[in-house]
Amino acid sequence: MTTTTTTTTTTTTAPRASKLHLDADLVARARGLAAQAGEPIVDLARRHTTVSVERATLRLAGLAGADPEGTPWANRLLDVVRADLGDDALPHGVALPVWDALARGEADDLATLAAKASAGSVRFRLPAGADAARARTAATEAVAVGVARMDARRTERDHLVATVGDAPRQPWIYLIVATGDIYEDIPQAQQAAREGADVIAVIRSTGQSLLDFVPEGATREGFAGTYATQENFRLMRAALDETGHELGRYIRLTNYASGLCMPEIAVLAGLERLDMMLNDSMYGILFRDINPVRTFVDQRFSRQVHARAGIIINTGEDNYLTTADAIEAAHTVTTSQLLNEYFAREAGLEDWQLGLGHAFEIDPAVPDSFRLELAHALLARELFPTAPLKWMPPTRHMTGDIFRGYLLDGFFNLAGALTGQGILLVGMMTEAVVTPWLSDRDLALQNVRYVMEAAGSLHEDFHPAPDGVIATRARHVLGESMDLLGRIVDHDGTGSGGGLLAAIADGTFGLMKRPAEAGRGLDGVAETAPGYCNPARELLETAPTPTATATSTSTTGTGAEA
């Protein structure tokens, strides 16, 4: 097998001199604690598989489409394999029985095999010896074709950025469309790009994260968003490419790799050249009650796919501040950022791909609220100096007063300018009132452009007093985060670092209590057996990730998950 290696033009910011006077040894200790807390989770993920990981493998091998009822062939095929093999199916993986059936002449290709299996005309077995070796080789060759296609789409992105042009300045302006109808989303996204947006996020239909299948085809009836499907990805990518050529700059596209189908959606994003994906390690656990083990297994595989495809992930720490107080819970945001960084790096993502999240969510009635926001934002910037930070506008304290909301968004934009954020999600003055009109988006984009152009490089002049409110608060939050990480490491009483699952069960993050033995999707998780075969996991673990070359200074962000 030949592995394609590409070179990616990335979006990295140069490290900035510390303005908070953070102790370097203290920061290193914080990262060490995050690694101790995360290592048992990585080991858990390596020892388990899920139905979505297995279906993602089939999709990488080229299985697409759905039956007349709309059920994806990937689901149909895996369900029949599980029915035939029972408890042996998931622990050994879908690859051996499927490619063994192809080798036995049951069908000429995956799509035909899936259709015949769904009709009850194929029986699957777990091959052994030479039959197993033959099936493994054939499966690896088929999946390698999908990986090569992702490599080609990554190379294509690099070429377009180099030839069409990139965003002219930092930060990238990130704007959401969410009509529910892909054919309505497209003109809104194109117009938003013409008004100055650099990144378009297509909000996913409410509740899609709880579907254990990926809908098929172009969709027109989403709820508060548009379904994430391969065809919708393709349509929006083509439309933004057209507009990018018109404007002379590449327009980036964001969607959601989260929920019960996280690995599959990650694969579809890589195949259709999306640029960023929401992909938080704990969001589905906390806010969608998806089983923690299922989530951690799926997120590791999906991040390996993102690493290979050159996709920037966007994490969801901002969501904690919608359920917990933004001052009291500030350290949980920092803790989650450190954990997300560890999990992402372990999966092969580079720093330029780490869109770590945080938000402007302190109650504006709190005295010195703006100074505290600056402290939190600058702490994130200094802890992760070369990572693109996902800086989110106010939502929790938007009251419906559009004039007050517009002012709050202006302060949010100013905080971003002062602390050198890489990406600003455009805040809407009509947040919590209505789905924004195009005119609302135009006004919001004017707000961002005015503040950014007026502030210029103001962050270069912004140096908080070493013992002032901002620097002191930032150091305090870091200290609280380290205390929390220390408690997580020792949560099981052994000091082995196995306490993150217990901490999640106790409601440490976002005030949500999620035990490891409960939650949606648990029945789709299995511990792997000796002889487990998954060529996608093997290729993503061993094949070299395309080399990244940092040549620009932009970063990224995103909206809340669906």
Side-chain angles (χ1 to χ4, degrees):
M1 181 192 71
T2 300
T3 300
T4 302
T5 302
T6 61
T7 300
T8 293
T9 301
T10 69
T11 55
T12 308
T13 53
R16 297 169 172 85
S18 175
K19 298 178 180 181
L20 296 173
H21 305 280
L22 299 178
D23 184 283
D25 291 337
L26 200 67
V27 172
R29 283 170 49 202
R31 283 195 164 86
L33 287 169
Q36 283 184 267
E39 283 171 2
I41 299 298
V42 171
D43 181 63
L44 184 80
R46 286 186 174 131
R47 292 185 288 105
H48 288 78
T49 188
T50 74
V51 290
S52 189
V53 167
E54 300 304 317
R55 295 192 303 249
T57 301
L58 293 173
R59 289 180 180 275
L60 269 174
L63 184 57
D67 69 10
E69 297 177 354
T71 302
W73 288 124
N75 286 68
R76 287 291 194 196
L77 185 53
L78 179 60
D79 288 347
V80 176
V81 172
R82 294 184 75 188
D84 282 357
L85 299 184
D87 291 342
D88 286 334
L90 279 184
H92 288 88
V94 73
L96 290 182
V98 163
W99 271 271
D100 171 67
L102 290 172
R104 289 187 283 113
E106 295 286 355
D108 293 332
D109 54 53
L110 281 176
T112 304
L113 183 68
K116 291 180 67 175
S118 182
S121 59
V122 177
R123 298 290 295 178
F124 293 96
R125 65 174 188 171
L126 190 62
D131 289 340
R134 179 177 60 178
R136 179 186 292 269
T137 299
T140 300
E141 290 174 351
V143 172
V145 173
V147 174
R149 182 178 170 189
M150 289 198 305
D151 288 344
R153 300 313 301 269
R154 179 172 178 163
T155 300
E156 184 180 41
R157 180 194 299 118
D158 295 341
H159 175 74
L160 287 170
V161 170
T163 57
V164 175
D166 205 348
R169 39 91 188 101
Q170 184 184 15
W172 287 345
I173 298 174
Y174 179 111
L175 191 134
I176 289 170
V177 296
T179 71
D181 181 341
I182 187 62
Y183 294 106
E184 292 293 333
D185 287 346
I186 286 172
Q188 290 202 16
Q190 290 177 312
Q191 185 58 30
R194 294 185 186 106
E195 293 294 326
D198 303 306
V199 182
I200 299 296
V202 181
I203 292 295
R204 194 169 63 178
S205 181
T206 296
Q208 185 178 346
S209 59
L210 302 183
L211 299 179
D212 214 343
F213 66 94
V214 181
E216 185 71 20
T219 63
R220 309 199 68 170
E221 296 181 346
F223 302 92
T226 303
Y227 284 102
T229 75
Q230 185 169 8
E231 179 64 6
N232 285 347
F233 290 175
R234 187 192 69 79
L235 289 169
M236 183 61 80
R237 178 69 275 161
L240 293 181
D241 284 348
E242 178 185 321
T243 305
H245 280 91
E246 170 194 326
L247 299 174
R249 56 186 172 87
Y250 183 73
I251 309 300
R252 287 170 171 82
L253 175 59
T254 301
N255 212 285
Y256 295 69
S258 62
L260 291 170
C261 293
M262 189 189 307
E264 294 171 87
I265 295 176
V267 165
L268 298 179
L271 295 175
E272 298 300 335
R273 190 172 35 87
L274 271 70
D275 306 287
M276 308 173 201
M277 297 296 283
L278 277 81
N279 189 249
D280 185 77
S281 61
M282 292 189 285
Y283 176 88
I285 300 169
L286 302 176
F287 298 100
R288 292 294 181 266
D289 194 21
I290 297 174
N291 174 257
V293 178
R294 169 82 177 255
T295 298
F296 283 124
V297 175
D298 283 350
Q299 70 92 21
R300 183 171 187 265
F301 181 93
S302 65
R303 289 183 176 191
Q304 289 177 318
V305 171
H306 290 140
R308 183 78 194 190
I311 290 173
I312 298 169
I313 67 166
N314 295 277
T315 62
E317 284 81 5
D318 54 282
N319 291 284
Y320 302 166
L321 304 185
T322 64
T323 55
D325 182 80
I327 297 176
E328 293 178 359
H331 65 292
T332 67
V333 170
T334 303
T335 301
S336 179
Q337 289 169 335
L338 289 163
L339 289 169
N340 259 312
E341 179 192 52
Y342 169 75
F343 289 135
R345 285 177 169 176
E346 187 281 329
L349 289 154
E350 299 183 59
D351 283 0
W352 64 269
Q353 293 176 284
L354 308 186
L356 301 171
H358 59 142
F360 188 96
E361 289 286 20
I362 296 174
D363 186 344
V366 172
D368 284 329
S369 64
F370 188 64
R371 297 168 85 186
L372 297 175
E373 294 282 17
L374 290 173
H376 297 171
L378 193 56
L379 175 62
R381 180 72 281 167
E382 295 210 353
L383 285 176
F384 312 100
T386 60
L389 297 180
K390 184 190 69 174
W391 181 227
M392 296 286 292
T395 58
R396 184 176 182 180
H397 298 287
M398 298 292 272
T399 64
D401 180 339
I402 61 172
F403 301 103
R404 177 180 181 272
Y406 202 63
L407 180 62
L408 271 180
D409 286 335
F411 269 73
F412 159 76
N413 294 331
L414 180 59
L418 281 169
T419 58
Q421 298 299 311
I423 171 76
L424 295 180
L425 190 146
V426 177
M428 293 292 161
M429 75 293 291
T430 47
E431 179 76 40
V433 182
V434 296
T435 299
W437 297 95
L438 285 173
S439 56
D440 298 338
R441 292 190 176 115
D442 290 344
L443 288 169
L445 285 164
Q446 287 179 30
N447 189 327
V448 175
R449 289 198 304 268
Y450 168 72
V451 173
M452 291 300 125
E453 290 169 8
S457 299
L458 184 59
H459 64 88
E460 295 176 358
D461 300 321
F462 177 54
H463 294 273
D467 296 319
V469 169
I470 293 172
T472 300
R473 171 62 184 171
R475 292 193 294 268
H476 177 75
V477 171
L478 177 58
E480 286 188 314
S481 177
M482 292 186 65
D483 290 342
L484 175 55
L485 283 167
R487 294 196 301 273
I488 290 172
V489 166
D490 292 327
H491 208 295
D492 60 1
T494 68
S496 66
L500 182 55
L501 290 176
I504 293 171
D506 285 349
T508 300
F509 301 96
L511 304 179
M512 302 294 182
K513 296 183 178 181
R514 306 299 191 197
E517 64 278 4
R520 297 178 174 92
L522 176 59
D523 59 346
V525 183
E527 187 163 7
T528 57
Y532 169 74
C533 173
N534 185 311
R537 285 175 60 153
E538 293 164 9
L539 287 169
L540 293 170
E541 288 272 4
T542 60
T545 298
T547 303
T549 303
T551 58
S552 67
T553 56
S554 297
T555 49
T556 157
T558 185
E561 301 217 14

